[in-house]
Amino acid sequence: MPRALRTWSIRLLILPACALALTACSSSPSSSNSPTTTTSSAATTSSSSPGTTSSTSQTSGTLVPQTATVTEFYSPSKNISCEIDNSVGTSATTSALCLTISPPKSVTLQTDSTLTECTGVNCLSNAGTNTPTLAYGQSITLGPFTCSSSTAGIKCTLASGDGFLISSAATTALGNAKVAAGSG
């Protein structure tokens, strides 16, 4: 067999083997420790006139935190990721942090209703492996914070209603939450 033909034959055998190896490396294994999502729906039926019935459905749900001290989640668009910390580490950090990839920015809510804002790529961090999605209409509560997902963005609040709404368009303080001096 001529040398050129042998070289091409070997290349044709190696190429599929490399593709197969790369595919196997990029596949993520399934995890049996995946967070559980519980959803419920309520239906209401009302009658407006004899023989006419209308029905309205409302869907709500709750995402269960990954641990008793930390939970993470994405918005359905994956442009927003959040982390809630409840008494984490030796400093007992308790805060809710959300960030947007585009434009790059973040906001952190402390238990005293203080907001810290940051803009630029230095404000970004990576969500963990197998981070769940908080679907539109769902909420998650950990410690003093409740975050909910809607088409307007992710809203994180304390029981007082103080907090923030973050979207790719803007970050808005809610209730009596105040942006800390020097942040931004």
Side-chain angles (χ1 to χ4, degrees), residues 71-89:
T71 194
E72 295 179 307
F73 57 89
Y74 280 113
S75 66
S77 70
K78 302 273 192 279
N79 186 50
I80 303 172
S81 65
C82 299
E83 178 177 329
I84 303 173
D85 297 319
N86 185 31
S87 298
V88 174

Side-chain angles (χ1 to χ4, degrees), residues 12-173:
L12 288 175
L13 291 173
I14 291 175
L15 185 61
C18 289
L20 182 62
L22 288 174
T23 302
C25 289
S26 66
S27 296
S28 58
S30 64
S31 172
S32 60
N33 293 334
S34 302
T36 308
T37 302
T38 306
T39 58
S40 61
S41 63
T44 320
T45 303
S46 61
S47 180
S48 54
S49 64
T52 306
T53 305
S54 63
S55 178
T56 307
S57 288
Q58 178 182 358
T59 301
S60 64
T62 303
L63 186 68
V64 178
Q66 286 97 347
T67 72
T69 57
V70 178
T71 194
E72 295 179 307
F73 57 89
Y74 280 113
S75 66
S77 70
K78 302 273 192 279
N79 186 50
I80 303 172
S81 65
C82 299
E83 178 177 329
I84 303 173
D85 297 319
N86 185 31
S87 298
V88 174
T90 55
S91 64
T93 300
T94 300
S95 63
L97 160 75
C98 289
L99 57 92
T100 60
I101 306 296
S102 179
K105 64 182 176 186
S106 68
V107 61
T108 304
L109 173 63
Q110 303 296 332
T111 55
D112 65 357
S113 300
T114 301
L115 296 176
T116 305
E117 294 182 326
C118 181
T119 56
V121 294
N122 291 336
C123 306
L124 302 182
S125 59
N126 294 324
T129 305
N130 298 324
T131 298
T133 297
L134 188 64
Y136 296 136
Q138 284 190 319
S139 64
I140 188 165
T141 298
L142 182 63
F145 304 102
T146 297
C147 296
S148 58
S149 175
S150 72
T151 56
I154 299 288
K155 178 172 83 170
C156 293
T157 57
L158 295 162
S160 64
D162 297 348
F164 63 84
L165 173 67
I166 188 169
S167 69
S168 58
T171 302
T172 306

